Amino acid sequence: MTLSYLHVDQVDFSYSHSDWQLEHVSLNLSPGKLVGIIGPNGAGKSTLLKISAGLIQPSKGTVSLHGTLINQFSRKVIAKSLAYLPQQVNSNYEYTVEEIVSMGRFAHLKGACFLEKSDLMIVQDCLEQTQTTDLRHRYLNELSGGQKQRVLLASVLAQTPKVLLLDEPTTGLDMYHQSIFFNLLKSLQNNDIAIGIVTHDLNLAAIYCDELVLLDQGKVIIQNKTDQVICPEVLEPIYQDKIIFSQYPSSNKFVVLPAITENN
Amino acid sequence: MRSLPTKRHCLLSCTKYLIVTLLVLCITPWIGSEKLDAEQVLSDLTHSAEYHIDTKILIDQRLPRTILAFLVGASLALTGSVFQVILRNPLATPYTLGVTGGGTVGAYLAITFSSLSFRLGPLTSTQCFALLGSSLTLFFIYSLAKRKTTTSIFTLLLTGVTIGIFCSAIILLLSYFASPNKLVAMNRWTMGGVDVIGYGELSALLPLLIPGLVLLFMQTPSLNHIALGQEMAMGHGVDVHTLQRNVFIAGGLTTAAVVSLAGPIGFVGLIIPHIVRQLSGFDHRIILPSTFLLGGAFLVVCDTIARTILAPTEMPVGIITAVTGSPFFIHLLLKNKQANY
């Protein structure tokens, strides 16, 4: 059995003034694995990711990073091995791409956080890895959605994390940029990084993820290998008759399409 | 093309502001309604045991006033720049959290009930009550916004604005019942000013001001991250809740100290951070020291104008800060129209 880098064990969570709650949810992220967290709107995907990143505290259950409870670490120590990319990143301030990526080194720096030579090399590497070197002098706010997401990925990669948590990083991107982004994530798997990604797109999850966690109404329905999750028996009870299944051209994998109802 | 800021680059950027500040601090104490004989003063300082009247004016009146103006301007500008990034609001000022309202109510109460008049060391009862009012407001707002593990920025802002409105009502009430001479004193206090009598008041300010300023400067490395949003900052390793708490307490203490001594001097805390960002970019390792220096220098210049333009009488410095700062800021905005600022 592979040692998991991040282990979320039976967590419960609820927001104040709301009946909705996350119940007994568990998640394992192991090195070299890309795990997708899928489910309909309001299933609790982003909440689970925030709990996993230690951003919010569960009311019950535990989150362990490399075998130690995450709440025993300071945020800086967590950031040295766990990187989290939120759904939306906006700023009124004009930072260049290079500045944004270099901010990822924060947890590794002391004092006023000026970069050493080794940090500059890591920043350079991350820019190259995400194909954003040419953009390095441009401002984040000037970039297209796809470019911006790659830059933000470079920024969290500069943390040199062992666990990477991404919250819907390809929302709003066209297919070309979605494909670039996920292929980039696949290339990171060789570095023994454990990746957890929240996505609405069942097809991207079906094609790129090794394992999937399916959530619905705050509960885990199934956590298994992708082909065991993207199948009619599992998804139809959740998405009902709103989806139909087809075959991916070059493999036996299922892909999911929106169903055309009679009204259409 | 902007390259990554190095220690040298940051030092060089801040040095420009430091030179301007030193020039301002060296020149302005010599300017005033009373013309000072520089030769006489210098010879007094180097040789004489008995000081000439010019030397006394410089050392006992102009210097403490210049230092106070610098500290007030610097503190307001620094607090403003930190609040603007923490609250993610370009209109935030040191007064956004309502601390000034409490301070003003305190000062008005001291003026209204003159039977309460006393001196606590170098501080007058008005200054003491202003400090008490600001501190109580700060404590009240913080206890409302504090959660188990976080501080709610939303509650902080709403409470601050509400307290500000509530204080305005009390201020109006006190003004309504005040006698004409007290009304003049109240109005004068509201306009703000740095006309101190000596070093005593300055030293009374420091126990609150120094810890506040040090705590604000200590947050510098985290502020660039918070500009990208709380979640991104936490992901990068910033302890956002501690940062927010420290900024609120430090900014509140600094503002309370400044308001109690100089009254609510507007504009500096809003405009100076924007001017520095336009001139020197968005890296807080440059913004914070530069804002501190430029804010201080700006208020010293404004105070010099305020005490000389209608000499021998004085104009409230708040009028000068607004009149001189606004056109310059609009000029910068128009000049940088292309920069998407």
Side-chain angles (χ1 to χ4, degrees):
Chain A
M1 186 188 161
T2 334
L3 177 77
S4 78
Y5 280 169
L6 185 80
H7 179 56
V8 178
D9 187 26
Q10 295 286 312
V11 294
D12 286 5
F13 181 84
S14 60
Y15 292 99
S16 51
H17 315 298
S18 164
D19 293 335
W20 181 92
Q21 59 175 3
L22 205 63
E23 276 181 276
H24 314 311
V25 174
S26 296
L27 174 72
N28 265 315
L29 296 183
S30 306
K33 287 263 159 54
L34 176 54
V35 176
I37 302 168
I38 57 169
N41 288 334
K45 305 182 293 292
S46 295
T47 305
L48 173 59
L49 209 69
K50 284 178 194 171
I51 291 173
S52 308
L55 263 64
I56 50 177
Q57 303 293 319
S59 51
K60 268 189 195 163
T62 56
V63 180
S64 309
L65 182 63
H66 304 301
T68 308
L69 289 179
I70 203 166
N71 54 16
Q72 293 186 0
F73 297 124
S74 68
R75 278 275 17 129
K76 258 197 170 179
V77 174
I78 294 171
K80 281 180 187 173
S81 62
L82 183 150
Y84 168 78
L85 181 59
Q87 222 174 89
Q88 283 195 332
V89 178
N90 294 311
S91 179
N92 298 327
Y93 290 9
E94 285 180 337
Y95 292 118
T96 64
V97 166
E98 204 170 29
E99 284 168 344
I100 297 280
V101 178
S102 70
M103 284 186 203
R105 296 301 297 156
F106 174 75
H108 299 268
L109 301 171
K110 287 182 181 152
C113 293
F114 290 106
L115 300 184
E116 302 289 334
K117 262 187 185 168
S118 56
D119 301 303
L120 285 168
M121 283 174 70
I122 290 169
V123 169
Q124 196 57 44
D125 269 359
C126 294
L127 287 167
E128 279 169 21
Q129 223 173 345
T130 53
Q131 298 165 23
T132 49
T133 311
D134 293 345
L135 307 172
R136 66 186 186 280
H137 296 303
R138 288 182 60 187
Y139 294 116
L140 187 74
N141 295 338
E142 294 173 0
L143 304 180
S144 70
Q147 289 170 330
K148 192 176 167 184
Q149 285 308 101
R150 278 187 287 143
V151 169
L152 294 171
L153 179 65
S155 180
V156 293
L157 285 179
Q159 292 175 234
T160 54
K162 285 290 170 193
V163 180
L164 187 55
L165 300 175
L166 309 165
D167 195 353
E168 296 187 34
T170 55
T171 302
L173 303 193
D174 59 39
M175 262 189 200
Y176 173 79
H177 285 102
Q178 285 179 337
S179 168
I180 286 181
F181 195 90
F182 268 90
N183 280 310
L184 186 61
L185 293 184
K186 290 301 275 183
S187 71
L188 294 174
Q189 285 182 276
N190 304 330
N191 303 343
D192 268 354
I193 297 180
I195 306 172
I197 182 166
V198 167
T199 179
H200 273 297
D201 196 317
L202 297 175
N203 291 326
L204 288 172
I207 295 162
Y208 292 103
C209 294
D210 301 305
E211 283 177 25
L212 291 177
V213 180
L214 174 64
L215 285 173
D216 188 31
Q217 294 177 17
K219 295 185 185 71
V220 172
I221 305 301
I222 185 173
Q223 172 165 14
N224 212 327
K225 293 214 162 58
T226 301
D227 52 2
Q228 301 292 312
V229 178
I230 303 291
C231 58
E233 305 85 74
V234 175
L235 292 184
E236 274 176 359
I238 309 290
Y239 292 90
Q240 295 164 7
D241 58 351
K242 302 298 178 214
I243 55 170
I244 54 166
F245 290 83
S246 181
Q247 204 92 33
Y248 192 72
S250 59
S251 75
N252 292 329
K253 287 180 174 178
F254 276 119
V255 285
V256 187
L257 300 169
I260 300 173
T261 58
E262 282 177 10
N263 294 341
N264 295 335
Chain B
M1 197 189 297
R2 199 162 86 196
S3 54
L4 282 176
T6 58
K7 201 181 279 182
R8 189 167 169 270
H9 172 231
C10 286
L11 281 174
L12 273 177
S13 289
C14 296
T15 307
K16 285 185 274 182
Y17 293 96
L18 183 65
I19 292 170
V20 172
T21 305
L22 288 176
L23 281 174
V24 166
L25 290 178
C26 290
I27 295 168
T28 50
W30 298 94
I31 304 168
S33 54
E34 192 69 36
K35 205 175 173 202
L36 304 182
D37 182 350
E39 267 182 43
Q40 176 68 52
V41 172
L42 288 174
S43 107
D44 272 9
L45 289 175
T46 46
H47 300 107
S48 177
E50 184 77 14
Y51 285 170
H52 184 264
I53 184 72
D54 282 7
T55 316
K56 283 182 181 167
I57 290 175
L58 182 76
I59 291 180
D60 296 336
Q61 290 182 13
R62 300 254 177 98
L63 271 183
R65 184 168 177 154
T66 305
I67 295 169
L68 178 68
F70 177 78
L71 284 175
V72 169
S75 305
L76 289 175
L78 177 72
T79 311
S81 71
V82 178
F83 277 8
Q84 282 167 11
V85 65
I86 284 278
L87 302 173
R88 304 197 85 197
N89 185 344
L91 293 177
T93 72
Y95 307 142
T96 304
L97 296 182
V99 176
T100 328
T104 309
V105 169
Y108 273 39
L109 281 172
I111 295 168
T112 306
F113 303 105
S114 45
S115 54
L116 292 175
S117 182
F118 61 87
R119 283 195 84 88
L120 187 68
L123 296 180
T124 63
S125 51
T126 309
Q127 289 162 342
C128 288
F129 268 82
L131 188 59
L132 186 70
S134 308
S135 309
L136 283 177
T137 317
L138 176 69
F139 176 75
F140 180 68
I141 295 171
Y142 183 61
S143 49
L144 275 183
K146 196 178 178 318
R147 300 280 180 270
K148 203 172 165 188
T149 52
T150 67
T151 309
S152 165
I153 292 290
F154 187 65
T155 315
L156 210 65
L157 272 173
L158 277 184
T159 320
V161 171
T162 314
I163 292 286
I165 294 167
F166 181 69
C167 288
S168 301
I170 298 179
I171 290 163
L172 283 175
L173 190 74
L174 290 171
S175 314
Y176 184 73
F177 288 111
S179 61
N181 61 331
K182 282 181 181 169
L183 206 55
V184 171
M186 286 170 174
N187 276 336
R188 186 63 192 87
W189 192 88
T190 314
M191 289 174 189
V194 286
D195 40 342
V196 286
I197 310 153
Y199 294 96
E201 285 156 299
L202 267 179
S203 57
L205 183 78
L206 298 181
L208 279 180
L209 202 58
I210 289 178
L213 292 175
V214 169
L215 198 53
L216 280 177
F217 272 117
M218 280 169 66
Q219 314 310 317
T220 308
S222 308
L223 293 175
N224 287 346
H225 301 268
I226 204 80
L228 300 177
Q230 286 193 20
E231 289 186 347
M232 191 69 182
M234 285 174 92
H236 275 165
V238 175
D239 186 343
V240 171
H241 306 313
T242 310
L243 173 71
Q244 287 171 341
R245 186 197 60 207
N246 288 348
V247 163
F248 177 61
I249 291 174
L253 278 179
T254 309
T255 312
V258 162
V259 167
S260 64
L261 214 57
I265 297 173
F267 207 69
V268 185
L270 173 69
I271 237 68
I272 297 294
H274 286 291
I275 290 176
V276 170
R277 277 186 216 112
Q278 294 222 6
L279 295 174
S280 301
F282 293 83
D283 192 314
H284 287 85
R285 290 168 296 187
I286 298 171
I287 293 177
L288 257 57
S290 307
T291 309
F292 182 79
L293 292 168
L294 190 66
F298 176 70
L299 197 62
V300 170
V301 171
C302 287
D303 182 52
T304 309
I305 298 170
R307 62 185 165 78
T308 51
I309 198 165
L310 293 179
T313 59
E314 288 190 10
M315 192 181 262
V317 71
I319 297 174
I320 307 292
T321 55
V323 168
T324 53
S326 307
F328 181 60
F329 185 61
I330 288 169
H331 163 71
L332 272 181
L333 275 179
L334 292 175
K335 197 176 139 197
N336 292 352
K337 219 175 178 178
Q338 302 303 316
N340 294 328
Y341 186 79

